[in-house]
Amino acid sequence: MCRCAGVVYSVAVSETKQSDSAPTSAQGSLDVSDVSTVSATALPQMHEWLWLPDVAELLGVRGRDVRAMINDHRLVALRRGENNALAINGGQFVEKDGEVVPLPPLRGTLIQLADAGYTPEESLRWLMEYHDDLGMTPLEGLRGEKTHAVRRAIQFLAF
């Protein structure tokens, strides 16, 4: 879901092995649709999409700090919606010591995917797709402390 001024847009999910897999449209890009509302202080779910101002509010930082996190590969953002604004998938956040923070192993993983030639959209799609060798999506693996298995799987992508 994407939040914009308190409104949350849910993501259409295609049929795959996992319900939390990368939502895709007919063109193969990630898609945002439907409207509902959620608490601004709750930990975002894997199927939620948040606009940058909402991410800044969630993390308690300035908007430019969120953009710096994107530039530093701590988060990956994609342009979505009718305004083509940047949105971040909620699966990139975890709760640590009572605070919502970017998923710590995500940075190294995004750098490794970029080194393998993946664009931000391809990286996020790869992170959200079910992989038989992992038995889950890579994003779930990173959240479940299977960072080494996820990064080992990336090593074969560049070849």
Side-chain angles (χ1 to χ4, degrees), residues 6-59:
V7 178
V8 178
Y9 301 91
S10 67
V11 178
V13 177
S14 63
E15 289 296 320
T16 61
K17 293 187 180 200
Q18 287 285 328
S19 61
D20 287 331
S21 64
T24 58
S25 69
Q27 293 85 17
S29 63
L30 299 171
D31 190 27
V32 178
S33 61
D34 271 351
V35 177
S36 64
T37 59
V38 297
S39 168
T41 59
L43 179 66
Q45 300 299 311
M46 296 276 281
H47 62 276
E48 291 182 70
W49 288 85
L50 295 91
W51 302 118
L52 295 193
D54 297 316
V55 172
E57 182 181 333
L58 178 72
L59 299 176

Side-chain angles (χ1 to χ4, degrees), residues 68-151:
M69 289 178 195
I70 294 166
N71 290 336
D72 293 342
H73 298 286
R74 291 179 55 205
L75 295 169
V76 60
L78 303 176
R79 296 208 173 267
R80 294 287 156 246
E82 60 188 47
N83 293 330
N84 204 28
L86 287 172
I88 297 176
N89 179 269
Q92 298 179 56
F93 302 99
V94 294
E95 192 169 334
K96 184 176 182 181
D97 299 327
E99 294 184 23
V100 177
V101 297
L103 182 62
L106 188 59
R107 182 173 192 270
T109 305
L110 289 173
I111 290 171
Q112 192 175 5
L113 285 165
D115 288 348
Y118 277 52
T119 65
E121 186 169 72
E122 291 169 334
S123 295
L124 189 57
R125 180 174 291 113
W126 186 85
L127 286 166
M128 295 178 71
E129 287 177 343
Y130 180 87
H131 293 270
D132 289 329
D133 54 334
L134 295 172
M136 63 184 68
T137 68
L139 195 53
E140 291 170 330
L142 293 175
R143 295 171 64 91
E145 300 184 18
K146 296 191 178 195
T147 304
H148 296 293
V150 171
R151 293 189 181 163

